[in-house]
Amino acid sequence: AQSVTQLGSHVSVSEGALVLLRCNYSSSVPPYLFWYVQYPNQGLQLLLKYTTGATLVKGINGFEAEFKKSETSFHLTKPSAHMSDAAEYFCAVSPYNNNDMRFGAGTRLTVKP
Amino acid sequence: GAVVSQHPSRVICKSGTSVKIECRSLDFQATTMFWYRQFPKQSLMLMATSNEGSKATYEQGVEKDKFLINHASLTLSTLTVTSAHPEDSSFYICSARPDLNTEAFFGQGTRLTVV
């Protein structure tokens, strides 16, 4: 079984500041890891994913995340926040060998002008 | 990327009636689709896994007689909320993955309001 913990249900940063959203996972088999973004009343859009290979993955809108197996973490970062980054962010984990995908509780990012 | 289309995006129904929500994979075949429910400012709760040609697998605590799932083809899964009550009001989202090495693609979601 796998699970995801997102530390901090709400993160607030100033425009131009570093964004750091934390995600720790638990999985009994090698995991695939994902970050999704959700805007109000919409579905989820993929930001980036880790399956195999390079542990530092780059996604859309300037986001990136690093898979750290020793820390069971997959934190999401962006060097400089933009107002348009304000949204809900979900980390998700899936075993490499089946379709089951589990989501964290989500982190609401607020960007202050 | 792959596209998953969900319809309707919004629906209002009266208590006691049934509502059907459709989820279609437009450019890939999906033997498995997933249905989630999301309460305001909360995460996605997996309700059930929809399997083409067989019965859905429901998560613990989800009433299968209330939330009927049919996966009649490789591109279509439907969720029917039967005898809807106001507490069924929520945001319902479906997803599908073309294969294990790809991410899940999500429908746009359906905002259900039961009055």
Side-chain angles (χ1 to χ4, degrees), chain A residues 32 34 36 38 41-44 46 49 51 90 94 96-99 101-105 108, chain B residues 10 32 34 36 38 41-44 46 59 91 93 97 100-104 106-108 111:
Chain A
Y32 288 172
F34 310 85
Y36 286 87
Q38 184 182 33
N41 291 313
Q42 294 187 26
L44 276 68
L46 181 74
K49 64 180 178 183
T51 54
F90 293 96
S94 171
Y96 78 99
N97 57 355
N98 71 57
N99 252 321
M101 180 176 282
R102 301 290 167 155
F103 288 84
R108 181 170 298 274
Chain B
R10 290 181 176 272
T32 306
F34 302 88
Y36 298 86
Q38 186 178 31
K41 298 184 179 181
Q42 294 188 30
S43 188
L44 285 75
L46 180 64
E59 295 296 301
F91 194 58
I93 308 176
R97 294 172 78 175
L100 293 181
N101 292 316
T102 63
E103 64 272 26
F106 286 82
Q108 305 93 317
R111 171 72 60 193

Side-chain angles (χ1 to χ4, degrees), chain A residues 24-98:
Chain A
N24 288 88
Y25 69 91
S26 170
S27 180
S28 56
V29 298
Y32 288 172
L33 294 157
F34 310 85
W35 275 100
Y36 286 87
V37 62
Q38 184 182 33
Y39 298 99
N41 291 313
Q42 294 187 26
L44 276 68
Q45 178 185 9
L46 181 74
L47 281 176
L48 48 79
K49 64 180 178 183
Y50 168 79
T51 54
T52 58
T55 55
L56 179 63
V57 292
K58 296 184 184 296
I60 63 172
N61 302 338
F63 285 94
E64 62 180 40
E66 186 170 12
F67 169 58
K68 292 187 176 180
K69 183 178 179 180
S70 62
E71 299 178 8
T72 61
S73 68
F74 191 57
H75 302 329
L76 181 71
T77 61
K78 182 174 180 177
S80 177
H82 191 272
M83 296 296 290
S84 61
D85 294 328
E88 189 85 20
Y89 292 81
F90 293 96
C91 181
V93 63
S94 171
Y96 78 99
N97 57 355
N98 71 57

Side-chain angles (χ1 to χ4, degrees), chain B residues 2-94:
Chain B
V3 177
V4 174
S5 178
Q6 188 174 340
H7 179 80
S9 58
R10 290 181 176 272
V11 58
I12 301 173
C13 71
K14 293 183 177 181
S15 290
T17 62
S18 296
V19 174
K20 180 184 285 188
I21 303 170
E22 292 187 348
C23 180
R24 295 181 183 273
S25 57
L26 298 187
D27 49 3
F28 66 95
Q29 294 183 331
T31 56
T32 306
M33 291 184 175
F34 302 88
W35 286 97
Y36 298 86
R37 182 174 180 175
Q38 186 178 31
F39 292 100
K41 298 184 179 181
Q42 294 188 30
S43 188
L44 285 75
M45 181 192 77
L46 180 64
M47 298 175 64
T49 302
S50 173
N51 304 299
E52 188 268 336
S54 65
K55 293 182 179 180
T57 304
Y58 289 83
E59 295 296 301
Q60 192 171 14
V62 177
E63 299 176 61
K64 59 183 178 182
D65 294 332
K66 178 164 193 59
F67 298 100
L68 299 180
I69 291 174
N70 183 273
H71 196 148
S73 76
L74 287 171
T75 58
L76 174 64
S77 174
T78 60
L79 168 68
T80 302
V81 183
T82 63
S83 187
H85 290 281
E87 56 265 31
D88 299 325
S89 298
S90 192
F91 194 58
Y92 294 87
I93 308 176
C94 69

